[in-house]
Amino acid sequence: METGLGVETGPGRGPGLEGVPDPARRRFYTCRCFYTDNIFLEEFRLHVSRATPVEELRAMLRSKGCKTEEQFEEVQAKIDGEVQRRRSLGRASVERAALISARYKPLNPAVYVLQESFLAPEFRAIVAYCRSEDADFEGLLDRIQSLPAQRVYSLPVFTLDFCAQLLEELDNFQHSGLPSGRPNTMNNHGVLLNELGFDERFVTTLREDYLRPITSILYPDYGGLGLDSHKAFVVKYAVDQDRDLSFHYDNAEVTLNLSLGKDFSDGNLYFGDMRQDAMSGGESVEVTHRPGYGLLHRGQHCHGALPIAGGERCNFIVWMRSSQFRNHLCPMCDRRPQLEHADGYGDGFTGPPPPDHRPQPGNTCSLT
């Protein structure tokens, strides 16, 4: 999946570049593996690395139906093109954000700043409980729905009225003719919310003030106590666009996946094993998504989306990251992160840990 490169300026947000660390904030980085690894070849439903030896890559592709030398050369050209695209993402995102800020007229400027009226009353009550001194795991489970997939939870987040307002705003932007970046390397349709101006006064507030009290109880062993950056985007599924999403894991410690709605049929999510156990052959668990409701799950929990049969569905997704957690081991390449400068939150890395610091037992995944 793709990095959180990009700078936020956004409509109606006041002067200056928001979403970019200022001198009072930490600098965020990306891991070098982003530019070469986890390249998704949609026609083969396969993730590959630019560093894979040619003969090994050839054998992998042959097993997926790539038979001729011409086909192989076309795939190599796609891989090289994707590497170059990723290298240019930061600058391209900065340019798009500036253009959107200058030219886009919001339909409803109020939706760019998170207000409590946007939040479901049940969600506000859940957050209030999590902020209380008596909050604990069992008490939280009494207030949210634990799904059959391990440590996947469902809870109301947005009101249906706000979902409709946000969809209207996104539709208005879509019809403006202004450019938008791909949400990630697997979805082709949607929008990066930082480019529209939603980061600082909407998504950051949602993450810090509302979601982190919940994740600190649900996922203390997966960085839930210290989620300090994010990447947020909206993806769109339709019969004539992206119909489904292949099995994958997220570049996140914890993910919020929220259905904004529209009229659609089928297209349920499904969850398998954690990435580290993905070869165990465990059965997938199908989960129905309801508008206004969010699913919380660990980013390394493999999942996908079944084909949509009709209509259109939009999902609001936040990949939440903990620098304290991932600075020790990149969740995408399973190596100590090789840091490169990035715009905005990058991929959530803030720098290498002190030489004498070791992760505490139970606070890191058993990555292989």
Side-chain angles (χ1 to χ4, degrees):
M1 286 288 195
E2 206 163 271
T3 188
L5 300 177
V7 169
E8 176 181 7
T9 52
R13 305 302 297 274
L17 297 177
E18 297 182 7
V20 181
D22 61 35
R25 296 173 62 180
R26 288 173 296 169
R27 176 85 197 200
F28 286 88
Y29 300 85
T30 192
C31 179
R32 192 175 301 164
C33 74
F34 168 72
Y35 301 108
T36 57
D37 295 0
N38 295 297
I39 295 174
F40 183 59
L41 301 175
E42 187 170 3
E43 61 270 42
F44 300 106
R45 299 285 181 167
L46 183 67
H47 280 90
V48 300
S49 169
R50 181 65 181 82
T52 302
V54 172
E55 290 308 315
E56 183 179 337
L57 177 62
R58 195 185 298 272
M60 291 169 58
L61 292 170
R62 190 180 297 119
S63 71
K64 295 291 186 178
C66 181
K67 303 297 185 183
T68 69
E69 185 64 23
E70 182 180 3
Q71 286 177 310
F72 181 71
E73 290 176 356
E74 288 178 358
V75 171
Q76 281 191 309
K78 287 181 180 179
I79 293 172
D80 291 340
E82 176 63 11
V83 170
Q84 292 303 313
R85 187 188 76 85
R86 294 185 185 193
R87 283 284 178 190
S88 66
L89 275 178
R91 176 49 50 190
S93 185
V94 169
E95 293 172 353
R96 284 192 300 268
L99 185 64
I100 292 167
S101 179
R103 297 188 181 179
Y104 178 60
K105 182 177 181 181
L107 178 68
N108 183 1
V111 302
Y112 289 84
V113 180
L114 183 63
Q115 302 174 38
E116 288 229 325
S117 61
F118 299 165
L119 304 174
E122 302 93 330
F123 179 68
R124 298 201 302 267
I126 292 167
V127 174
Y129 170 76
C130 291
R131 290 172 178 166
S132 69
E133 294 182 359
D134 298 329
D136 59 21
F137 181 73
E138 288 74 20
L140 178 54
L141 288 190
D142 289 338
R143 293 163 168 80
I144 63 177
Q145 182 182 6
S146 181
L147 299 178
Q150 188 178 34
R151 300 184 73 177
V152 179
Y153 307 98
S154 174
L155 68 166
V157 178
F158 292 153
T159 66
L160 293 180
D161 182 62
F162 173 70
C163 289
Q165 291 181 54
L166 182 56
L167 286 171
E168 288 177 354
E169 184 63 42
L170 296 175
D171 284 343
N172 187 63
F173 172 74
Q174 185 180 21
H175 290 101
S176 71
L178 290 167
S180 60
R182 284 177 62 184
N184 52 65
T185 56
M186 294 180 70
N187 290 96
N188 296 295
H189 301 279
V191 65
L192 292 164
L193 290 173
N194 67 305
E195 293 184 359
L196 265 68
F198 279 95
D199 245 14
E200 201 65 24
R201 286 189 276 179
F202 192 105
V203 182
T204 297
T205 303
L206 180 66
R207 168 175 55 82
E208 293 182 347
D209 295 347
Y210 295 94
L211 293 173
R212 197 158 59 189
I214 299 173
T215 62
S216 65
I217 296 175
L218 294 178
Y219 306 108
D221 52 337
Y222 279 83
L225 288 161
L227 299 172
D228 53 0
S229 69
H230 62 261
K231 176 180 178 177
F233 49 92
V234 170
V235 294
K236 183 171 74 170
Y237 296 93
V239 172
D240 58 345
Q241 297 181 358
D242 289 331
R243 290 194 64 203
D244 59 9
L245 189 62
S246 294
F247 207 48
H248 67 284
Y249 57 92
D250 299 338
N251 187 355
E253 273 63 69
V254 180
T255 293
L256 171 72
N257 186 329
L258 186 148
S259 174
L260 292 175
K262 291 206 171 181
D263 294 324
F264 61 90
S265 57
D266 295 341
N268 284 345
L269 300 180
Y270 61 97
F271 287 85
D273 294 317
M274 289 295 287
R275 178 173 73 99
Q276 298 78 21
D277 305 318
M279 301 305 292
S280 66
E283 294 184 1
S284 296
V285 176
E286 193 170 327
V287 175
T288 301
H289 225 169
R290 290 186 285 170
Y293 278 70
L295 300 179
L296 283 171
H297 65 85
R298 295 163 292 174
Q300 300 287 291
H301 196 158
C302 293
H303 58 286
L306 295 170
I308 192 170
E312 183 178 310
R313 188 185 80 203
C314 292
N315 284 40
F316 175 101
I317 296 171
V318 186
W319 290 350
M320 294 176 280
R321 286 120 173 211
S322 166
S323 60
Q324 184 178 12
F325 195 79
R326 63 178 41 216
N327 281 349
H328 301 281
L329 199 68
C330 173
M332 305 305 285
C333 68
D334 295 344
R335 298 187 295 266
R336 190 182 185 90
Q338 301 178 63
L339 301 181
E340 294 197 5
H341 289 286
D343 294 300
Y345 285 125
D347 272 338
F349 302 97
T350 56
D356 59 346
H357 186 78
R358 294 290 182 272
Q360 295 300 310
N363 287 344
T364 57
C365 306
S366 330
L367 298 179
T368 58

